């Protein structure tokens, strides 16, 4: 007999349900009975049985008569919801499967009493699982309050003793202290990770140390001798439960060094040598155009040619044909554009003064309400589709197509709704007027602004500025995309 073994656990059942043990148990039953087995295994919630790929795969094989019956560890593995559980049983009967096996017991699906019994078993299994999970959760909470380790990956540098308390792992301790000492000397996570890679030093799992893994390790309270355990939104923090690898003083000193380095990086990042830096986008390769100073030609600024590649008509990679030019050519062109923008801003400010904010908000609120109504209708359609499927008015393929169509529409409407809600929140004529006034004032003071201020203003006023110049005798073409 060809038997389908279905195995499932929810993501939150790691400690309660053990798929490996269930698999071995059911395979032993099948072996003793001489059955041919096909495994269907997944980690998924029982709340939405139509969105469980392994279950749907098994049901499809049942339709194609590839398996004769199914074997499960418990009824709730199929579903914990009455309506879903009975729908699955109806599907089995529809395609000629009139008996199933739960562990080594056979159940006749043609009997209404058996079907009721199985449904009750699924509900009771759900209640039992919740009780076990609650007890385990409470046990872990009490254990965490005593400062004991509650499972999971133990931080590098530690191991556990017989009482489940964290203790320093003497084999890992020298390397753990080397990391801390390097951080105290001002080394970054990146430089330490690079050094370890060159020396062939790996984590316990044999992976390369990275900036992220070093940061996650160092910032853990475990290294400072504390135990922190989070469960269902609640955190239990127990200080001084084990020996520390990093003292509090060392931790604060390293965090201060990292903060200073980050601030210096931000200052360096925000500094621009010329206000066109990072402003122009090449229309050919789409990369940002760089600006550099030529000390040999009187410290004049130049827009550099692109060093990137693009695809030609045949799909071959060729150097980007965009060339540079003297920066003052583009500067003069943008000055004219900025002056036009100042005139445009004045017109918009005049319009704002005449705008009735109440009407604007009412229109936008009506738009939000209409979009929310459309989302509600889509939810109703999905529910109707599910009812039609359960009543066998439509096939599963028709259900999936209809659901996919509704989900695509839902995604589009949700995006529109999010944008409309943001626009409704941002409707503030006085704030917008003040912003325009501030920008207009900066434009008036253009010639006296520093490079950083000009650069910030340009990025505030324009979404993008495209630069095109393909020939030496050609004047650059500048195309602006206003942001106001």
């Amino acid at each position: 007999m060809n038997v389908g073994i279905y195995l499932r656990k929810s993501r939150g059942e790691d400690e309660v349900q053990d798929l490996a043990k269930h698999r071995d148990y059911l395979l032993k039953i099948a072996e003793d009975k001489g059955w041919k087995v096909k495994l269907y295994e997944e980690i998924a919630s029982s709340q939405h049985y139509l969105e469980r790929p392994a279950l749907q795969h098994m049901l499809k094989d049942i339709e194609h008569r590839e398996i004769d019956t199914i074997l499960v560890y418990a009824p709730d593995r199929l579903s914990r919801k009455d309506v879903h559980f009975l729908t699955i049983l109806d599907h089995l009967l529809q395609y000629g499967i009139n008996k199933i096996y739960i562990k080594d017991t056979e159940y006749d699906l043609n009997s209404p009493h058996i079907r009721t019994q199985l449904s009750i078993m699924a509900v009771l299994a759900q209640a039992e699982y919740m009780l076990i999970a609650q007890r385990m959760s409470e046990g872990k909470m009490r254990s965490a309050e005593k400062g004991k380790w509650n499972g999971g990956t133990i931080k590098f540098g530690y191991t556990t003793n017989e009482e489940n308390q964290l203790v320093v792992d003497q084999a890992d301790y020298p390397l753990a202290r080397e990391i801390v000492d390097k951080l105290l000397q001002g080394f970054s996570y990146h430089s330490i990770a690079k050094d370890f890679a060159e020396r062939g030093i790996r984590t316990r799992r044999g992976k390369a140390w990275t900036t992220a893994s070093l940061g996650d390790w160092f910032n853990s309270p475990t290294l400072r001798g504390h135990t922190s355990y989070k469960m269902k939104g609640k955190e239990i923090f127990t200080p001084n439960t084990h020996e520390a690898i990093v003292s509090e003083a060392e931790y604060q000193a390293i965090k201060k060094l990292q903060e200073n380095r980050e601030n210096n990086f931000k200052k360096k990042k925000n500094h621009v040598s010329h206000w066109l830096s990072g402003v122009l986008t090449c229309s050919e390769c789409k990369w940002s155009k760089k600006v550099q100073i030529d000390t040999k030609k009187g410290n004049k600024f130049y827009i550099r040619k692109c060093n990137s590649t693009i695809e030609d008509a045949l799909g071959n990679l060729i150097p980007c044909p965009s060339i540079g030019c003297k920066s003052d050519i583009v500067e003069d062109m943008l000055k004219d554009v900025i002056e036009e923008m100042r005139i445009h801003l004045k017109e918009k400010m005049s319009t704002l003064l005449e705008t009735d904010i109440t009407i604007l908000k009412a229109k936008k609120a009506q738009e939000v309400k209409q979009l929310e109504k459309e989302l509600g209708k889509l939810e109703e359609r999905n529910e109707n589709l599910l009812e039609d499927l359960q009543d066998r008015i439509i096939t599963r393929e028709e259900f999936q197509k209809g659901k996919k169509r509704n989900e695509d529409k839902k995604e589009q409407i949700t995006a529109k709704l999010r944008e409309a809600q943001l626009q409704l929140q941002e409707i503030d004529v006085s704030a917008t007027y003040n912003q325009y006034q501030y920008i207009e004032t900066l434009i008036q003071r253009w010639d006296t602004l520093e490079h950083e201020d000009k650069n910030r203003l340009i990025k505030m006023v324009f979404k993008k500025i495209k630069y095109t110049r393909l020939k030496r005798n050609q004047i650059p073409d500048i195309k602006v995309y206003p942001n106001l």
Side-chain angles (χ1 to χ4, degrees), residues 388-421:
D388 289 346
L389 177 63
Q390 292 169 349
D391 294 338
R392 296 184 185 146
I393 297 173
I394 60 174
T395 64
R396 191 162 66 254
E397 287 77 9
E398 289 172 329
F399 170 81
Q400 295 290 5
K401 286 181 181 178
K403 185 181 178 184
K404 177 68 168 57
R405 185 168 56 250
N406 289 342
E407 290 301 321
D408 290 343
K409 288 182 181 179
K410 183 178 177 181
E411 188 176 341
Q412 295 172 4
I413 294 172
T414 302
K416 290 180 181 178
L417 176 60
R418 193 181 302 115
E419 184 179 352
Q421 288 171 334

Side-chain angles (χ1 to χ4, degrees), residues 347-356 360 429 432-433 436:
E347 293 174 355
K348 294 193 76 170
M349 287 162 65
S350 299
T351 303
L352 279 175
L353 291 176
E354 301 171 0
T355 301
D356 187 339
L360 280 178
V429 171
T432 306
Y433 182 87
Y436 287 172

Side-chain angles (χ1 to χ4, degrees), residues 4-23:
I5 293 180
Y6 180 72
L7 299 154
R8 180 191 67 82
K9 74 172 180 179
S10 296
R11 289 176 177 80
E13 295 179 335
D14 290 345
E15 301 88 356
V16 183
Q17 303 287 351
D18 190 331
L19 277 186
K21 289 182 180 179
H22 291 185
R23 185 191 312 112

Side-chain angles (χ1 to χ4, degrees), residues 230-254:
K230 294 180 180 179
M231 190 171 188
K232 295 182 179 179
K234 182 180 179 181
E235 180 179 10
I236 296 177
F237 182 83
T238 312
N240 306 319
T241 58
H242 54 271
E243 183 182 350
I245 291 177
V246 183
S247 69
E248 286 291 342
E250 288 175 328
Y251 179 77
Q252 295 301 331
I254 291 170

